[in-house]
Amino acid sequence: MEVVDDKLIGQLIDKTKKNSRGVPTMVFIDNVDAWIDKFTAEKLVEDLNQYLNKFKYMEAQISRHSEGVKGKIPDMEKALETIDYMEKKEKAKPLTVDYMVSNNLWAKAEVKVPESVYLWLGADIMCEYSMKEARELLNSNLEKAKSQLKTNETDLDFVRDQMTVCEVNIARVYNETVKRKQLEQAKKK
């Protein structure tokens, strides 16, 4: 029976190379024979599958976060357009708006152009802002959201690359195992 080194998990990743989220880089197993001799194929595949599952989980989390951010961007842009529209409107003339009374029931109202707006911040919090403050806040949040999307895309690419390295490593270990079994069977004949 072979002695299996329990420190395999730590050797499959390069802890010195990480991305912005701190996700480690997978090691490409270049000498599959040596790794199988040192750790056994079953242990290698098991640990590589653990990493693959972790990377899949990270990918799902980053994708979910990106979808949430993507959903907020149109709302921020629409709020900025509304502020633009209200600032261009003459103060003396009333503003005609359509608002929803209930599902499928809309009403028209004439309101004076407001000096301030209320922004829904989430978690049941709404705050009043001047037009200038609201524009600054929305522009800042919009830029942060777009920046976060770019960062998420970069992180997704990195995680997907690590998943590919994992899958290639698993395939190479599996292929080497098959090759060894074939050689063993050929020797028995």
Side-chain angles (χ1 to χ4, degrees), residues 14-156:
D14 185 352
K15 293 181 181 176
T16 61
K17 296 178 185 174
K18 297 180 179 182
N19 75 343
S20 62
R21 288 183 189 252
V23 178
T25 303
M26 282 300 300
V27 172
F28 177 75
I29 300 175
D30 51 354
N31 188 352
V32 179
D33 282 332
W35 281 76
I36 291 175
D37 291 341
K38 187 174 180 182
F39 299 110
T40 75
E42 293 79 20
K43 181 69 175 156
L44 270 172
V45 170
E46 177 185 326
D47 288 357
L48 286 166
N49 274 320
Q50 279 182 334
Y51 274 112
L52 182 59
N53 289 333
K54 287 177 185 179
F55 286 126
K56 285 180 180 179
Y57 177 77
M58 287 181 222
E59 178 189 33
Q61 292 292 78
I62 295 168
S63 294
R64 243 187 315 256
H65 183 259
S66 291
E67 290 305 313
V69 172
K70 283 179 188 174
K72 292 177 184 176
I73 288 175
D75 293 339
M76 288 186 257
E77 289 171 341
K78 189 173 182 181
L80 280 166
E81 287 174 16
T82 303
I83 290 172
D84 287 341
Y85 178 76
M86 286 192 294
E87 284 181 332
K88 290 177 185 171
K89 197 76 168 149
E90 290 181 33
K91 299 283 184 199
K93 293 183 180 177
L95 185 64
T96 303
V97 295
D98 293 326
Y99 64 95
M100 187 168 64
V101 177
S102 67
N103 288 342
N104 298 325
L105 181 60
W106 291 78
K108 286 192 181 294
E110 286 191 3
V111 295
K112 64 179 185 169
V113 177
E115 298 292 321
S116 61
V117 293
Y118 292 87
L119 295 179
W120 184 266
L121 301 178
D124 295 332
I125 297 174
M126 185 178 281
C127 289
E128 180 179 11
Y129 292 94
S130 69
M131 296 288 189
K132 181 182 175 192
E133 291 172 330
R135 176 184 304 289
E136 289 171 0
L137 178 67
L138 288 168
N139 278 327
S140 169
N141 288 350
L142 185 59
E143 289 307 312
K144 286 177 188 174
K146 288 179 178 179
S147 171
Q148 186 64 51
L149 275 178
K150 288 179 186 173
T151 302
N152 284 354
E153 279 303 313
T154 302
D155 290 343
L156 269 175

